[in-house]
Each structure stands twice: as C-alpha cells, then as structure tokens.
C-alpha cells in the first residue's frame, strides 16, 4: 500500500531531507586523499544531531553507522572504517535522517582528487539518469516510466544497471511501498499520484555485468566483476504539477 502524505507531512519530510542534503554538501569539502571514512561518519552524525535530527540508518536492521560509504567497486552499504580515501578513487556516500517522525534519504558519488575520464563519465551518467527518472515522476504516469527512463539512459552510455537494489517509497518508514527498480518496461505498476514520496536511487556498474555480491561483513555490496560503481539518490514529493526534490540544502 502506498502511503500518501498531506501538506503537513510533506513539510516534515522537507526538513529531514534538507538535513540529508546539507550533510552531502558539507561532506564534499572533507573528501580528500588521506581522510578516514570513520571520520566522515563522525562529522555527519554530529551535523545531523546539531540540526535536531537523528541518523536514519544507524541501528536500522542492525546497520552500525550513520553513513554508508562505498569506494570504487563497492556499490552501496559500505561500512565506515579506518580506511583512508586515496587519490583517484570514487566514493559514494548515502545519508539517512529522521526528524519529527519522518525519514530523509539521499546519496551521491564524489571524486577523490583527480579521477580518470571513465570514472567521470560513470558518475555523470548515473546522476543524469536520476534527473531523467525524476522528470517522469508526474501524476498520471506509471511507476515503471521512471524505471525505464533511468535504464535507457544508463545503457545508452554502455554501463550496467544494478538489479539487486532498488529505490523505494519513504515516509514514517525508511522503506515503504512501492519498490522503484532502475530498470524495466515502461507503462507498468501503480499510477503516480499527488502526495506520493519516493527515494529514487540509480546504482550503476561501470562494466558489462550488473551482478552484485555481498562482502563477508554482511553489508557491503560490490559489482561482481570488480568494476567501479556510482550511486545518486534524491527523495522527491509528487505535487499535482510534478515532482519536487526534497533533498535540497
Ligand atoms: N539509501 C539506502 C536505502 O535506501 C540506505 C539503507 S542503509 C541501511 O536502502 F543501513 F539503513 F540499511
Ligand atoms: Co534509499
């Protein structure tokens, strides 16, 4: 069942997602060779609490940290640690918050120092596919119109769409109906309506395979072929006129 949000609930989601966007903006300045991922996590937790929210992922299904930090071939759910970022890596940071009972959720991939052209293209294509998907989130369209638009763009650039993780409805719960795959035929699934709130999050492997595996830590998802991955996520609200991105600082 897809839970619609009213005006007041939308405002609360705007606030929890504003804090997500603030973290993603502020953390960009800290992404440099030599920084430990655990220190990025500490910084994010402090900022979230200073803004009157709490980390949304910490404790969720036993997840141990505030951020998910996924480097190079890691796609999502990398656990912050003593590992230091290195020049040339790409690093995906996923942030969740809860404030006033509502979740915020957003992610983006950053370059550490200078990166190669293919890495830049991977990041640009993934981010662009997110915006192309969001454009389809219009009342009257069907859910898989979003999915298909994302997939079409990513594959047109020669990259692979991860199937094992998907976007989702979001609200009082981090994961609500519907699931929002980043692939599929258009014209399927529920009709999009005003008041729906979606976390749209394309995850892309650089190589030809979209297969994933989970590392022995039980969380970190990687591209099975060892190719690098990018991940961009926005939480959006569906207005009568169309989508509104809530993850803005
Ligand atoms: N953005 C991810 C998601 O929507 C983050 C979840 S991490 C978890 O699923 F630890 F909270 F599971
Ligand atoms: Co999400």
């Amino acid at each position: 069942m897809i839970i619609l949000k009213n005006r007041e609930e939308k405002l609360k989601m705007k606030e929890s997602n504003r804090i997500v966007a603030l973290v993603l903006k502020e953390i960009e300045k800290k992404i440099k060779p030599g920084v430990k991922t655990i220190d990025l996590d500490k910084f994010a937790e402090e900022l979230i609490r200073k803004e009157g929210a709490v980390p949304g992922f910490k404790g969720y299904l036993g997840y141990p940290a505030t951020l998910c930090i996924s480097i190079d071939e890691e796609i999502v759910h990398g656990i912050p640690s003593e590992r230091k970022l290195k020049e040339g890596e790409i690093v995906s940071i996923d942030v969740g918050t809860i404030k006033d009972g509502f979740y915020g959720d957003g992610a983006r991939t950053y370059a550490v120092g200078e990166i190669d052209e293919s890495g830049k293209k991977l990041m640009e294509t993934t981010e662009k596919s997110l915006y192309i998907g969001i454009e389809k989130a219009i009342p009257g369209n069907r859910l898989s119109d979003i999915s298909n638009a994302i997939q079409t763009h990513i594959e047109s650039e020669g990259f692979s769409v991860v199937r094992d993780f998907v976007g989702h409805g979001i609200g009082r719960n981090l994961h609500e109906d519907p699931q929002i795959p980043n692939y599929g035929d258009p014209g399927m699934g529920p009709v999009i309506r005003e008041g729906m709130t979606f976390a749209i999050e394309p995850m892309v492997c650089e190589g030809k395979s979209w297969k994933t595996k989970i590392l022995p830590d039980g969380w970190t998802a990687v591209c099975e072929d060892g190719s690098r991955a990018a991940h961009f996520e926005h939480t959006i609200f569906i207005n009568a006129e169309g989508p509104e991105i809530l993850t803005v600082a």
Side-chain angles (χ1 to χ4, degrees):
M1 188 199 51
I2 301 178
I3 302 167
L4 301 180
K5 279 83 186 175
N6 62 29
R7 248 188 126 64
E8 196 182 314
E9 292 166 327
K10 174 189 167 183
L11 287 177
K12 290 181 179 175
M13 294 205 61
K14 242 180 134 130
E15 172 61 6
S16 43
N17 282 287
R18 178 192 66 78
I19 299 165
V20 166
L22 179 68
V23 172
L24 290 172
K25 188 169 120 196
E26 291 301 316
I27 220 158
E28 179 162 27
K29 303 168 193 162
K30 312 235 161 233
I31 301 211
K32 290 192 183 103
V35 68
K36 287 183 191 168
T37 60
I38 191 75
D39 290 335
L40 297 175
D41 194 78
K42 251 182 238 152
F43 170 78
E45 177 163 3
E46 280 169 20
L47 181 52
I48 289 167
R49 293 191 188 280
K50 195 176 119 222
E51 294 291 325
V54 296
F57 300 159
K58 207 173 198 177
Y60 184 83
L61 304 174
Y63 187 74
T66 293
L67 300 177
C68 299
I69 305 184
S70 309
I71 302 169
D72 282 346
E73 77 284 1
E74 299 173 355
I75 309 164
V76 287
H77 304 163
I79 301 173
S81 71
E82 296 292 317
R83 179 170 173 181
K84 289 178 180 164
L85 298 181
K86 291 199 201 74
E87 177 88 21
E89 287 176 335
I90 60 172
V91 57
S92 301
I93 298 195
D94 195 339
V95 188
T97 59
I98 312 171
K99 187 167 175 178
D100 223 349
F102 285 87
Y103 276 88
D105 189 5
R108 57 163 293 192
T109 304
Y110 306 84
V112 184
E114 273 303 307
I115 62 165
D116 65 1
E117 286 307 312
S118 179
K120 283 182 199 161
K121 189 178 151 202
L122 174 67
M123 286 171 50
E124 282 164 14
T125 302
T126 307
E127 184 170 25
K128 177 117 193 265
S129 78
L130 171 59
Y131 288 101
I132 288 173
I134 290 171
E135 276 175 31
K136 298 285 176 188
I138 300 165
N141 273 1
R142 293 214 180 238
L143 195 74
S144 81
D145 295 336
I146 301 172
S147 313
N148 182 259
I150 292 171
Q151 178 179 23
T152 302
H153 183 67
I154 291 166
E155 293 182 351
S156 77
E157 298 292 344
F159 298 125
S160 304
V161 177
V162 170
R163 310 304 203 243
D164 298 332
F165 302 92
V166 296
H168 49 93
I170 176 168
R172 289 189 182 275
N173 295 296
L174 177 58
H175 297 129
E176 296 183 355
D177 285 344
Q179 296 207 126
I180 310 172
N182 298 299
Y183 60 93
D185 293 330
M188 320 277 279
V191 173
I192 296 168
R193 294 191 194 287
E194 184 180 359
M196 291 182 177
T197 319
F198 299 149
I200 302 181
E201 48 180 322
M203 289 151 267
V204 178
C205 291
E206 189 177 11
K208 287 284 158 240
S209 170
W210 48 260
K211 296 231 168 96
T212 70
K213 65 182 185 201
I214 305 291
L215 296 186
D217 64 19
W219 280 101
T220 313
V222 298
C223 299
E224 194 187 51
D225 62 6
S227 72
R228 294 177 295 183
H231 176 212
F232 284 81
E233 176 177 29
H234 273 309
T235 292
I236 66 168
F237 181 85
I238 312 300
N239 292 309
E241 314 78 49
E244 177 179 343
I245 297 173
L246 300 185
T247 25
V248 284

